């Protein structure tokens, strides 16, 4: 449930069949990122829209954008997001658009495009019907950006995110953000404690990319190396291979994460 608690939906038999096939393909994509699974999801979503079920097609497309963003597959995330923008332009689908906008903002933050992320997230927080997931992640984007820039108001945003994240299923993301903010303030003890709270919220099926966020901040703040499932860049950080981690973050288009990984080096030119 982490990061994508969408509204419960009622579906016709035809939609239900498409949703079942879609979720099967989504499971294959999450486990392996196979091109075939992504292509199948895109085909099912587009076919669903063509048969008059734009709402369901938007739901599928939002999930595609979310999961591609979580796995840092930026081109696929962009493709799904652009498709959703087109759908929302022709149909009344703002609830999915708002969800996708905040995940998009979080992805832009990861890609080093801080200004764009803030510009996308900030106006959403004034929307009266913003879903909990979207509000929580919007607050994280603004809070983390302020922390990185040394601007005031970081903890007000991240405290509100913490009260919002429980029903939204975004606990790990919030605690990772709070760990980073504490670390940037020079409070390594608090950073490790916030990250540990996030890691304690993990479930067995939590995606390794999400689990890796609090795990890496525990390592950065305390030197401890949690035994958890993570993806390659974080795994390299947890084993002390900062150079390999930095190269992998750079290859994934995440310059800030690469810079953080390099901080583990004694080489001042790194």
């Amino acid at each position: 449930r982490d990061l994508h608690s969408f509204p419960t939906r009622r579906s016709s038999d035809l939609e239900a069949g498409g949703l079942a096939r879609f979720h099967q393909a989504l499971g294959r994509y999450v486990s392996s990122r196979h091109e075939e699974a992504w292509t199948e999801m895109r085909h099912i979503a587009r076919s669903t829209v063509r048969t008059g079920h734009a709402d369901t097609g938007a739901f599928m497309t939002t999930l595609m954008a979310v999961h591609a963003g979580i796995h840092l597959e930026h081109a696929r995330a962009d493709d799904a997001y652009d498709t959703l923008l087109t759908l929302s332009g022709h149909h009344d689908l703002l609830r999915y658009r708002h969800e996708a906008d905040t995940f998009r903002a979080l992805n832009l933050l990861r890609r080093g495009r801080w200004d764009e992320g803030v510009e996308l997230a900030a106006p959403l927080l004034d929307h009266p019907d913003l879903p909990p997931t979207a509000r929580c992640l919007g607050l994280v984007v603004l809070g983390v950006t302020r922390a990185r820039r040394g601007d005031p108001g970081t903890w007000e945003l991240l405290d509100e995110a913490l009260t919002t994240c429980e029903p939204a299923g975004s606990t790990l993301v919030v605690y990772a953000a709070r760990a980073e903010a504490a670390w940037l303030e020079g409070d390594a003890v608090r950073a490790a404690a916030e990250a540990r709270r996030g890691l304690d919220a993990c479930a067995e099926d939590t995606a390794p990319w999400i689990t890796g966020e609090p795990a890496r901040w525990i390592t950065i703040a305390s030197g401890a190396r949690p035994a958890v499932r993570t993806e390659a860049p974080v795994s390299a950080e947890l084993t002390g291979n900062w150079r390999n981690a930095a190269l992998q973050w750079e290859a994934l288009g995440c310059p800030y994460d690469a810079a953080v990984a390099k901080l583990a080096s004694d080489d001042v030119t790194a």
Side-chain angles (χ1 to χ4, degrees), residues 3-7 62-63 65-66 81 84 93-106 124 129-135 137-138 168 170:
L3 290 180
H4 49 86
S5 299
F6 295 100
T62 302
L63 285 177
V66 167
Y81 181 74
L84 188 64
L93 300 169
L94 283 180
R95 60 174 172 166
Y96 298 124
R97 169 69 183 274
H98 290 157
E99 294 273 4
D101 279 348
T102 49
F103 278 103
R104 168 74 169 177
L106 193 64
L124 293 173
D129 299 320
L130 195 66
T133 303
R135 182 163 192 82
L137 296 184
S170 306

PDB file of all heavy atoms in Angstrom, residues 3-7 62-63 65-66 81 84 93-106 124 129-135 137-138 168 170:
ATOM      1  N   LEU A   3       2.593   4.421  -0.689  1.00  0.00           N
ATOM      2  CA  LEU A   3       2.652   5.454  -1.702  1.00  0.00           C
ATOM      3  C   LEU A   3       1.524   5.467  -2.715  1.00  0.00           C
ATOM      4  O   LEU A   3       1.480   6.342  -3.542  1.00  0.00           O
ATOM      5  CB  LEU A   3       3.984   5.382  -2.481  1.00  0.00           C
ATOM      6  CG  LEU A   3       5.199   5.794  -1.704  1.00  0.00           C
ATOM      7  CD1 LEU A   3       6.421   5.686  -2.589  1.00  0.00           C
ATOM      8  CD2 LEU A   3       5.086   7.209  -1.193  1.00  0.00           C
ATOM      9  N   HIS A   4       0.618   4.542  -2.695  1.00  0.00           N
ATOM     10  CA  HIS A   4      -0.435   4.627  -3.708  1.00  0.00           C
ATOM     11  C   HIS A   4      -1.769   4.140  -3.162  1.00  0.00           C
ATOM     12  O   HIS A   4      -2.334   3.170  -3.635  1.00  0.00           O
ATOM     13  CB  HIS A   4      -0.058   3.890  -4.993  1.00  0.00           C
ATOM     14  CG  HIS A   4       0.446   2.501  -4.798  1.00  0.00           C
ATOM     15  ND1 HIS A   4      -0.383   1.422  -4.697  1.00  0.00           N
ATOM     16  CD2 HIS A   4       1.708   2.034  -4.650  1.00  0.00           C
ATOM     17  CE1 HIS A   4       0.330   0.323  -4.531  1.00  0.00           C
ATOM     18  NE2 HIS A   4       1.597   0.680  -4.489  1.00  0.00           N
ATOM     19  N   SER A   5      -2.302   4.840  -2.181  1.00  0.00           N
ATOM     20  CA  SER A   5      -3.605   4.492  -1.624  1.00  0.00           C
ATOM     21  C   SER A   5      -4.674   5.262  -2.384  1.00  0.00           C
ATOM     22  O   SER A   5      -5.006   6.382  -2.034  1.00  0.00           O
ATOM     23  CB  SER A   5      -3.647   4.852  -0.135  1.00  0.00           C
ATOM     24  OG  SER A   5      -2.680   4.132   0.565  1.00  0.00           O
ATOM     25  N   PHE A   6      -5.169   4.675  -3.439  1.00  0.00           N
ATOM     26  CA  PHE A   6      -6.152   5.348  -4.260  1.00  0.00           C
ATOM     27  C   PHE A   6      -7.562   5.009  -3.807  1.00  0.00           C
ATOM     28  O   PHE A   6      -7.786   4.012  -3.119  1.00  0.00           O
ATOM     29  CB  PHE A   6      -5.975   4.940  -5.733  1.00  0.00           C
ATOM     30  CG  PHE A   6      -4.668   5.405  -6.288  1.00  0.00           C
ATOM     31  CD1 PHE A   6      -3.605   4.537  -6.391  1.00  0.00           C
ATOM     32  CD2 PHE A   6      -4.495   6.717  -6.666  1.00  0.00           C
ATOM     33  CE1 PHE A   6      -2.395   4.962  -6.885  1.00  0.00           C
ATOM     34  CE2 PHE A   6      -3.284   7.163  -7.163  1.00  0.00           C
ATOM     35  CZ  PHE A   6      -2.237   6.280  -7.279  1.00  0.00           C
ATOM     36  N   PRO A   7      -8.550   5.824  -4.189  1.00  0.00           N
ATOM     37  CA  PRO A   7      -9.917   5.567  -3.770  1.00  0.00           C
ATOM     38  C   PRO A   7     -10.417   4.209  -4.240  1.00  0.00           C
ATOM     39  O   PRO A   7     -10.043   3.716  -5.307  1.00  0.00           O
ATOM     40  CB  PRO A   7     -10.706   6.699  -4.455  1.00  0.00           C
ATOM     41  CG  PRO A   7      -9.693   7.754  -4.765  1.00  0.00           C
ATOM     42  CD  PRO A   7      -8.416   7.021  -5.030  1.00  0.00           C
ATOM     43  N   THR A  62      -2.278   6.319 -13.881  1.00  0.00           N
ATOM     44  CA  THR A  62      -1.699   6.897 -12.669  1.00  0.00           C
ATOM     45  C   THR A  62      -0.788   5.896 -11.980  1.00  0.00           C
ATOM     46  O   THR A  62       0.322   6.232 -11.538  1.00  0.00           O
ATOM     47  CB  THR A  62      -2.809   7.353 -11.704  1.00  0.00           C
ATOM     48  OG1 THR A  62      -3.651   8.301 -12.369  1.00  0.00           O
ATOM     49  CG2 THR A  62      -2.222   7.992 -10.461  1.00  0.00           C
ATOM     50  N   LEU A  63      -1.237   4.649 -11.866  1.00  0.00           N
ATOM     51  CA  LEU A  63      -0.398   3.618 -11.252  1.00  0.00           C
ATOM     52  C   LEU A  63       0.898   3.421 -12.033  1.00  0.00           C
ATOM     53  O   LEU A  63       1.969   3.213 -11.447  1.00  0.00           O
ATOM     54  CB  LEU A  63      -1.162   2.300 -11.164  1.00  0.00           C
ATOM     55  CG  LEU A  63      -2.236   2.206 -10.085  1.00  0.00           C
ATOM     56  CD1 LEU A  63      -2.952   0.861 -10.174  1.00  0.00           C
ATOM     57  CD2 LEU A  63      -1.651   2.396  -8.699  1.00  0.00           C
ATOM     58  N   ALA A  65       2.473   5.746 -13.808  1.00  0.00           N
ATOM     59  CA  ALA A  65       3.320   6.896 -13.528  1.00  0.00           C
ATOM     60  C   ALA A  65       3.955   6.782 -12.148  1.00  0.00           C
ATOM     61  O   ALA A  65       5.146   7.073 -11.967  1.00  0.00           O
ATOM     62  CB  ALA A  65       2.502   8.191 -13.634  1.00  0.00           C
ATOM     63  N   VAL A  66       3.156   6.351 -11.175  1.00  0.00           N
ATOM     64  CA  VAL A  66       3.646   6.221  -9.801  1.00  0.00           C
ATOM     65  C   VAL A  66       4.771   5.196  -9.717  1.00  0.00           C
ATOM     66  O   VAL A  66       5.851   5.467  -9.173  1.00  0.00           O
ATOM     67  CB  VAL A  66       2.489   5.831  -8.857  1.00  0.00           C
ATOM     68  CG1 VAL A  66       3.022   5.372  -7.502  1.00  0.00           C
ATOM     69  CG2 VAL A  66       1.524   6.986  -8.680  1.00  0.00           C
ATOM     70  N   TYR A  81       2.760  10.082 -17.308  1.00  0.00           N
ATOM     71  CA  TYR A  81       2.253  11.367 -16.816  1.00  0.00           C
ATOM     72  C   TYR A  81       1.687  12.203 -17.957  1.00  0.00           C
ATOM     73  O   TYR A  81       0.611  12.805 -17.841  1.00  0.00           O
ATOM     74  CB  TYR A  81       3.380  12.125 -16.111  1.00  0.00           C
ATOM     75  CG  TYR A  81       2.953  13.460 -15.556  1.00  0.00           C
ATOM     76  CD1 TYR A  81       2.166  13.544 -14.403  1.00  0.00           C
ATOM     77  CD2 TYR A  81       3.336  14.647 -16.169  1.00  0.00           C
ATOM     78  CE1 TYR A  81       1.775  14.766 -13.887  1.00  0.00           C
ATOM     79  CE2 TYR A  81       2.948  15.881 -15.659  1.00  0.00           C
ATOM     80  CZ  TYR A  81       2.170  15.928 -14.519  1.00  0.00           C
ATOM     81  OH  TYR A  81       1.782  17.150 -14.015  1.00  0.00           O
ATOM     82  N   LEU A  84      -1.640  10.915 -18.912  1.00  0.00           N
ATOM     83  CA  LEU A  84      -2.658  11.305 -17.947  1.00  0.00           C
ATOM     84  C   LEU A  84      -3.073  12.758 -18.139  1.00  0.00           C
ATOM     85  O   LEU A  84      -4.251  13.104 -17.995  1.00  0.00           O
ATOM     86  CB  LEU A  84      -2.142  11.077 -16.528  1.00  0.00           C
ATOM     87  CG  LEU A  84      -3.174  11.263 -15.415  1.00  0.00           C
ATOM     88  CD1 LEU A  84      -4.289  10.219 -15.534  1.00  0.00           C
ATOM     89  CD2 LEU A  84      -2.519  11.170 -14.054  1.00  0.00           C
ATOM     90  N   LEU A  93     -11.177  14.249 -14.544  1.00  0.00           N
ATOM     91  CA  LEU A  93     -10.359  13.243 -13.863  1.00  0.00           C
ATOM     92  C   LEU A  93      -9.336  13.894 -12.932  1.00  0.00           C
ATOM     93  O   LEU A  93      -8.212  13.422 -12.802  1.00  0.00           O
ATOM     94  CB  LEU A  93      -9.640  12.372 -14.896  1.00  0.00           C
ATOM     95  CG  LEU A  93     -10.550  11.602 -15.864  1.00  0.00           C
ATOM     96  CD1 LEU A  93      -9.729  11.001 -16.992  1.00  0.00           C
ATOM     97  CD2 LEU A  93     -11.313  10.519 -15.129  1.00  0.00           C
ATOM     98  N   LEU A  94      -9.750  14.969 -12.269  1.00  0.00           N
ATOM     99  CA  LEU A  94      -8.807  15.714 -11.453  1.00  0.00           C
ATOM    100  C   LEU A  94      -8.259  14.910 -10.285  1.00  0.00           C
ATOM    101  O   LEU A  94      -7.138  15.133  -9.844  1.00  0.00           O
ATOM    102  CB  LEU A  94      -9.457  16.998 -10.926  1.00  0.00           C
ATOM    103  CG  LEU A  94      -9.582  18.132 -11.945  1.00  0.00           C
ATOM    104  CD1 LEU A  94     -10.248  19.335 -11.292  1.00  0.00           C
ATOM    105  CD2 LEU A  94      -8.222  18.511 -12.515  1.00  0.00           C
ATOM    106  N   ARG A  95      -9.034  13.955  -9.743  1.00  0.00           N
ATOM    107  CA  ARG A  95      -8.532  13.221  -8.588  1.00  0.00           C
ATOM    108  C   ARG A  95      -7.277  12.432  -8.938  1.00  0.00           C
ATOM    109  O   ARG A  95      -6.341  12.343  -8.146  1.00  0.00           O
ATOM    110  CB  ARG A  95      -9.602  12.297  -8.001  1.00  0.00           C
ATOM    111  CG  ARG A  95     -10.137  11.247  -8.950  1.00  0.00           C
ATOM    112  CD  ARG A  95     -11.075  10.303  -8.207  1.00  0.00           C
ATOM    113  NE  ARG A  95     -11.754   9.401  -9.126  1.00  0.00           N
ATOM    114  CZ  ARG A  95     -12.396   8.321  -8.731  1.00  0.00           C
ATOM    115  NH1 ARG A  95     -12.445   8.003  -7.456  1.00  0.00           N
ATOM    116  NH2 ARG A  95     -12.997   7.546  -9.604  1.00  0.00           N
ATOM    117  N   TYR A  96      -7.248  11.864 -10.148  1.00  0.00           N
ATOM    118  CA  TYR A  96      -6.046  11.142 -10.555  1.00  0.00           C
ATOM    119  C   TYR A  96      -4.944  12.115 -10.944  1.00  0.00           C
ATOM    120  O   TYR A  96      -3.761  11.857 -10.705  1.00  0.00           O
ATOM    121  CB  TYR A  96      -6.365  10.204 -11.716  1.00  0.00           C
ATOM    122  CG  TYR A  96      -7.371   9.144 -11.354  1.00  0.00           C
ATOM    123  CD1 TYR A  96      -8.548   8.989 -12.074  1.00  0.00           C
ATOM    124  CD2 TYR A  96      -7.164   8.298 -10.266  1.00  0.00           C
ATOM    125  CE1 TYR A  96      -9.477   8.013 -11.734  1.00  0.00           C
ATOM    126  CE2 TYR A  96      -8.086   7.334  -9.918  1.00  0.00           C
ATOM    127  CZ  TYR A  96      -9.243   7.199 -10.656  1.00  0.00           C
ATOM    128  OH  TYR A  96     -10.165   6.245 -10.305  1.00  0.00           O
ATOM    129  N   ARG A  97      -5.309  13.217 -11.540  1.00  0.00           N
ATOM    130  CA  ARG A  97      -4.323  14.233 -11.918  1.00  0.00           C
ATOM    131  C   ARG A  97      -3.608  14.754 -10.680  1.00  0.00           C
ATOM    132  O   ARG A  97      -2.385  14.919 -10.685  1.00  0.00           O
ATOM    133  CB  ARG A  97      -5.032  15.366 -12.650  1.00  0.00           C
ATOM    134  CG  ARG A  97      -4.187  16.608 -12.884  1.00  0.00           C
ATOM    135  CD  ARG A  97      -3.075  16.378 -13.891  1.00  0.00           C
ATOM    136  NE  ARG A  97      -2.270  17.580 -14.015  1.00  0.00           N
ATOM    137  CZ  ARG A  97      -2.556  18.593 -14.826  1.00  0.00           C
ATOM    138  NH1 ARG A  97      -3.637  18.542 -15.593  1.00  0.00           N
ATOM    139  NH2 ARG A  97      -1.769  19.639 -14.894  1.00  0.00           N
ATOM    140  N   HIS A  98      -4.346  15.003  -9.598  1.00  0.00           N
ATOM    141  CA  HIS A  98      -3.711  15.517  -8.396  1.00  0.00           C
ATOM    142  C   HIS A  98      -2.761  14.487  -7.787  1.00  0.00           C
ATOM    143  O   HIS A  98      -1.667  14.839  -7.316  1.00  0.00           O
ATOM    144  CB  HIS A  98      -4.775  15.912  -7.375  1.00  0.00           C
ATOM    145  CG  HIS A  98      -5.546  17.134  -7.774  1.00  0.00           C
ATOM    146  ND1 HIS A  98      -6.805  17.411  -7.291  1.00  0.00           N
ATOM    147  CD2 HIS A  98      -5.242  18.141  -8.621  1.00  0.00           C
ATOM    148  CE1 HIS A  98      -7.233  18.544  -7.817  1.00  0.00           C
ATOM    149  NE2 HIS A  98      -6.311  19.000  -8.628  1.00  0.00           N
ATOM    150  N   GLU A  99      -3.176  13.234  -7.771  1.00  0.00           N
ATOM    151  CA  GLU A  99      -2.284  12.177  -7.286  1.00  0.00           C
ATOM    152  C   GLU A  99      -1.003  12.160  -8.113  1.00  0.00           C
ATOM    153  O   GLU A  99       0.110  12.136  -7.575  1.00  0.00           O
ATOM    154  CB  GLU A  99      -2.976  10.810  -7.387  1.00  0.00           C
ATOM    155  CG  GLU A  99      -4.177  10.628  -6.482  1.00  0.00           C
ATOM    156  CD  GLU A  99      -3.793  10.128  -5.103  1.00  0.00           C
ATOM    157  OE1 GLU A  99      -2.584  10.002  -4.826  1.00  0.00           O
ATOM    158  OE2 GLU A  99      -4.707   9.860  -4.315  1.00  0.00           O
ATOM    159  N   ALA A 100      -1.174  12.153  -9.425  1.00  0.00           N
ATOM    160  CA  ALA A 100      -0.015  12.061 -10.310  1.00  0.00           C
ATOM    161  C   ALA A 100       0.881  13.286 -10.203  1.00  0.00           C
ATOM    162  O   ALA A 100       2.108  13.179 -10.295  1.00  0.00           O
ATOM    163  CB  ALA A 100      -0.474  11.872 -11.746  1.00  0.00           C
ATOM    164  N   ASP A 101       0.272  14.469  -9.991  1.00  0.00           N
ATOM    165  CA  ASP A 101       1.069  15.688  -9.891  1.00  0.00           C
ATOM    166  C   ASP A 101       2.033  15.638  -8.713  1.00  0.00           C
ATOM    167  O   ASP A 101       3.189  16.063  -8.828  1.00  0.00           O
ATOM    168  CB  ASP A 101       0.148  16.910  -9.735  1.00  0.00           C
ATOM    169  CG  ASP A 101      -0.419  17.386 -11.071  1.00  0.00           C
ATOM    170  OD1 ASP A 101       0.063  16.927 -12.119  1.00  0.00           O
ATOM    171  OD2 ASP A 101      -1.346  18.215 -11.047  1.00  0.00           O
ATOM    172  N   THR A 102       1.578  15.137  -7.565  1.00  0.00           N
ATOM    173  CA  THR A 102       2.471  15.122  -6.407  1.00  0.00           C
ATOM    174  C   THR A 102       3.554  14.055  -6.549  1.00  0.00           C
ATOM    175  O   THR A 102       4.702  14.264  -6.132  1.00  0.00           O
ATOM    176  CB  THR A 102       1.693  14.904  -5.104  1.00  0.00           C
ATOM    177  OG1 THR A 102       0.807  13.798  -5.238  1.00  0.00           O
ATOM    178  CG2 THR A 102       0.903  16.135  -4.740  1.00  0.00           C
ATOM    179  N   PHE A 103       3.216  12.905  -7.144  1.00  0.00           N
ATOM    180  CA  PHE A 103       4.260  11.916  -7.411  1.00  0.00           C
ATOM    181  C   PHE A 103       5.255  12.461  -8.434  1.00  0.00           C
ATOM    182  O   PHE A 103       6.459  12.211  -8.341  1.00  0.00           O
ATOM    183  CB  PHE A 103       3.636  10.618  -7.918  1.00  0.00           C
ATOM    184  CG  PHE A 103       3.126   9.735  -6.829  1.00  0.00           C
ATOM    185  CD1 PHE A 103       1.768   9.658  -6.569  1.00  0.00           C
ATOM    186  CD2 PHE A 103       3.989   8.979  -6.055  1.00  0.00           C
ATOM    187  CE1 PHE A 103       1.285   8.842  -5.558  1.00  0.00           C
ATOM    188  CE2 PHE A 103       3.512   8.162  -5.038  1.00  0.00           C
ATOM    189  CZ  PHE A 103       2.152   8.095  -4.797  1.00  0.00           C
ATOM    190  N   ARG A 104       4.739  13.200  -9.397  1.00  0.00           N
ATOM    191  CA  ARG A 104       5.596  13.834 -10.391  1.00  0.00           C
ATOM    192  C   ARG A 104       6.537  14.840  -9.719  1.00  0.00           C
ATOM    193  O   ARG A 104       7.731  14.892 -10.023  1.00  0.00           O
ATOM    194  CB  ARG A 104       4.717  14.550 -11.421  1.00  0.00           C
ATOM    195  CG  ARG A 104       5.438  15.498 -12.367  1.00  0.00           C
ATOM    196  CD  ARG A 104       6.224  14.773 -13.411  1.00  0.00           C
ATOM    197  NE  ARG A 104       6.695  15.667 -14.449  1.00  0.00           N
ATOM    198  CZ  ARG A 104       7.469  15.301 -15.463  1.00  0.00           C
ATOM    199  NH1 ARG A 104       7.838  14.040 -15.561  1.00  0.00           N
ATOM    200  NH2 ARG A 104       7.865  16.154 -16.359  1.00  0.00           N
ATOM    201  N   ALA A 105       5.999  15.625  -8.790  1.00  0.00           N
ATOM    202  CA  ALA A 105       6.814  16.606  -8.072  1.00  0.00           C
ATOM    203  C   ALA A 105       7.919  15.915  -7.280  1.00  0.00           C
ATOM    204  O   ALA A 105       9.069  16.385  -7.247  1.00  0.00           O
ATOM    205  CB  ALA A 105       5.932  17.440  -7.144  1.00  0.00           C
ATOM    206  N   LEU A 106       7.586  14.797  -6.645  1.00  0.00           N
ATOM    207  CA  LEU A 106       8.579  14.040  -5.893  1.00  0.00           C
ATOM    208  C   LEU A 106       9.661  13.498  -6.818  1.00  0.00           C
ATOM    209  O   LEU A 106      10.857  13.515  -6.491  1.00  0.00           O
ATOM    210  CB  LEU A 106       7.892  12.896  -5.151  1.00  0.00           C
ATOM    211  CG  LEU A 106       8.687  12.169  -4.070  1.00  0.00           C
ATOM    212  CD1 LEU A 106       9.014  13.108  -2.915  1.00  0.00           C
ATOM    213  CD2 LEU A 106       7.909  10.962  -3.559  1.00  0.00           C
ATOM    214  N   LEU A 124      -1.099  22.749  -5.250  1.00  0.00           N
ATOM    215  CA  LEU A 124      -2.000  21.643  -4.931  1.00  0.00           C
ATOM    216  C   LEU A 124      -2.426  21.671  -3.467  1.00  0.00           C
ATOM    217  O   LEU A 124      -3.537  21.242  -3.130  1.00  0.00           O
ATOM    218  CB  LEU A 124      -1.327  20.304  -5.245  1.00  0.00           C
ATOM    219  CG  LEU A 124      -1.052  20.013  -6.718  1.00  0.00           C
ATOM    220  CD1 LEU A 124      -0.245  18.737  -6.845  1.00  0.00           C
ATOM    221  CD2 LEU A 124      -2.343  19.891  -7.503  1.00  0.00           C
ATOM    222  N   ASP A 129     -10.054  19.544  -1.888  1.00  0.00           N
ATOM    223  CA  ASP A 129     -10.371  18.116  -1.963  1.00  0.00           C
ATOM    224  C   ASP A 129      -9.146  17.261  -2.268  1.00  0.00           C
ATOM    225  O   ASP A 129      -9.270  16.160  -2.807  1.00  0.00           O
ATOM    226  CB  ASP A 129     -11.442  17.878  -3.033  1.00  0.00           C
ATOM    227  CG  ASP A 129     -12.734  18.604  -2.719  1.00  0.00           C
ATOM    228  OD1 ASP A 129     -13.124  18.618  -1.540  1.00  0.00           O
ATOM    229  OD2 ASP A 129     -13.343  19.178  -3.651  1.00  0.00           O
ATOM    230  N   LEU A 130      -7.985  17.742  -1.936  1.00  0.00           N
ATOM    231  CA  LEU A 130      -6.761  17.000  -2.234  1.00  0.00           C
ATOM    232  C   LEU A 130      -6.721  15.709  -1.417  1.00  0.00           C
ATOM    233  O   LEU A 130      -6.878  15.734  -0.196  1.00  0.00           O
ATOM    234  CB  LEU A 130      -5.539  17.858  -1.896  1.00  0.00           C
ATOM    235  CG  LEU A 130      -4.198  17.396  -2.466  1.00  0.00           C
ATOM    236  CD1 LEU A 130      -4.194  17.492  -3.978  1.00  0.00           C
ATOM    237  CD2 LEU A 130      -3.060  18.246  -1.880  1.00  0.00           C
ATOM    238  N   PRO A 131      -6.529  14.547  -2.065  1.00  0.00           N
ATOM    239  CA  PRO A 131      -6.471  13.275  -1.329  1.00  0.00           C
ATOM    240  C   PRO A 131      -5.293  13.247  -0.356  1.00  0.00           C
ATOM    241  O   PRO A 131      -4.292  13.951  -0.555  1.00  0.00           O
ATOM    242  CB  PRO A 131      -6.286  12.233  -2.445  1.00  0.00           C
ATOM    243  CG  PRO A 131      -6.736  12.914  -3.695  1.00  0.00           C
ATOM    244  CD  PRO A 131      -6.409  14.362  -3.512  1.00  0.00           C
ATOM    245  N   PRO A 132      -5.389  12.445   0.709  1.00  0.00           N
ATOM    246  CA  PRO A 132      -4.309  12.389   1.708  1.00  0.00           C
ATOM    247  C   PRO A 132      -2.943  12.071   1.122  1.00  0.00           C
ATOM    248  O   PRO A 132      -1.940  12.665   1.526  1.00  0.00           O
ATOM    249  CB  PRO A 132      -4.780  11.284   2.659  1.00  0.00           C
ATOM    250  CG  PRO A 132      -6.262  11.287   2.540  1.00  0.00           C
ATOM    251  CD  PRO A 132      -6.542  11.617   1.104  1.00  0.00           C
ATOM    252  N   THR A 133      -2.887  11.124   0.178  1.00  0.00           N
ATOM    253  CA  THR A 133      -1.598  10.782  -0.423  1.00  0.00           C
ATOM    254  C   THR A 133      -0.969  11.989  -1.087  1.00  0.00           C
ATOM    255  O   THR A 133       0.220  12.275  -0.905  1.00  0.00           O
ATOM    256  CB  THR A 133      -1.764   9.664  -1.465  1.00  0.00           C
ATOM    257  OG1 THR A 133      -2.368   8.539  -0.867  1.00  0.00           O
ATOM    258  CG2 THR A 133      -0.422   9.272  -2.064  1.00  0.00           C
ATOM    259  N   ALA A 134      -1.763  12.694  -1.869  1.00  0.00           N
ATOM    260  CA  ALA A 134      -1.247  13.849  -2.600  1.00  0.00           C
ATOM    261  C   ALA A 134      -0.802  14.946  -1.640  1.00  0.00           C
ATOM    262  O   ALA A 134       0.249  15.570  -1.833  1.00  0.00           O
ATOM    263  CB  ALA A 134      -2.311  14.374  -3.555  1.00  0.00           C
ATOM    264  N   ARG A 135      -1.586  15.203  -0.616  1.00  0.00           N
ATOM    265  CA  ARG A 135      -1.215  16.238   0.347  1.00  0.00           C
ATOM    266  C   ARG A 135       0.085  15.872   1.070  1.00  0.00           C
ATOM    267  O   ARG A 135       0.982  16.702   1.233  1.00  0.00           O
ATOM    268  CB  ARG A 135      -2.328  16.461   1.357  1.00  0.00           C
ATOM    269  CG  ARG A 135      -2.005  17.567   2.350  1.00  0.00           C
ATOM    270  CD  ARG A 135      -3.195  18.108   3.102  1.00  0.00           C
ATOM    271  NE  ARG A 135      -2.802  19.325   3.794  1.00  0.00           N
ATOM    272  CZ  ARG A 135      -2.731  20.525   3.246  1.00  0.00           C
ATOM    273  NH1 ARG A 135      -3.048  20.679   1.962  1.00  0.00           N
ATOM    274  NH2 ARG A 135      -2.354  21.578   3.944  1.00  0.00           N
ATOM    275  N   LEU A 137       2.583  13.926   0.130  1.00  0.00           N
ATOM    276  CA  LEU A 137       3.771  14.007  -0.718  1.00  0.00           C
ATOM    277  C   LEU A 137       4.071  15.432  -1.131  1.00  0.00           C
ATOM    278  O   LEU A 137       5.242  15.809  -1.287  1.00  0.00           O
ATOM    279  CB  LEU A 137       3.595  13.112  -1.937  1.00  0.00           C
ATOM    280  CG  LEU A 137       3.478  11.617  -1.628  1.00  0.00           C
ATOM    281  CD1 LEU A 137       3.397  10.814  -2.907  1.00  0.00           C
ATOM    282  CD2 LEU A 137       4.632  11.134  -0.773  1.00  0.00           C
ATOM    283  N   GLY A 138       3.027  16.248  -1.313  1.00  0.00           N
ATOM    284  CA  GLY A 138       3.264  17.660  -1.598  1.00  0.00           C
ATOM    285  C   GLY A 138       4.000  18.341  -0.462  1.00  0.00           C
ATOM    286  O   GLY A 138       4.933  19.131  -0.678  1.00  0.00           O
ATOM    287  N   ALA A 168      -2.507   7.777   4.396  1.00  0.00           N
ATOM    288  CA  ALA A 168      -2.052   7.813   3.004  1.00  0.00           C
ATOM    289  C   ALA A 168      -1.098   6.675   2.668  1.00  0.00           C
ATOM    290  O   ALA A 168      -0.792   6.443   1.507  1.00  0.00           O
ATOM    291  CB  ALA A 168      -1.353   9.153   2.726  1.00  0.00           C
ATOM    292  N   SER A 170       2.080   6.559   3.333  1.00  0.00           N
ATOM    293  CA  SER A 170       3.340   7.139   2.868  1.00  0.00           C
ATOM    294  C   SER A 170       4.338   7.326   3.994  1.00  0.00           C
ATOM    295  O   SER A 170       5.209   8.186   3.946  1.00  0.00           O
ATOM    296  CB  SER A 170       3.064   8.488   2.195  1.00  0.00           C
ATOM    297  OG  SER A 170       2.104   8.347   1.175  1.00  0.00           O
TER     298      SER A 170
END
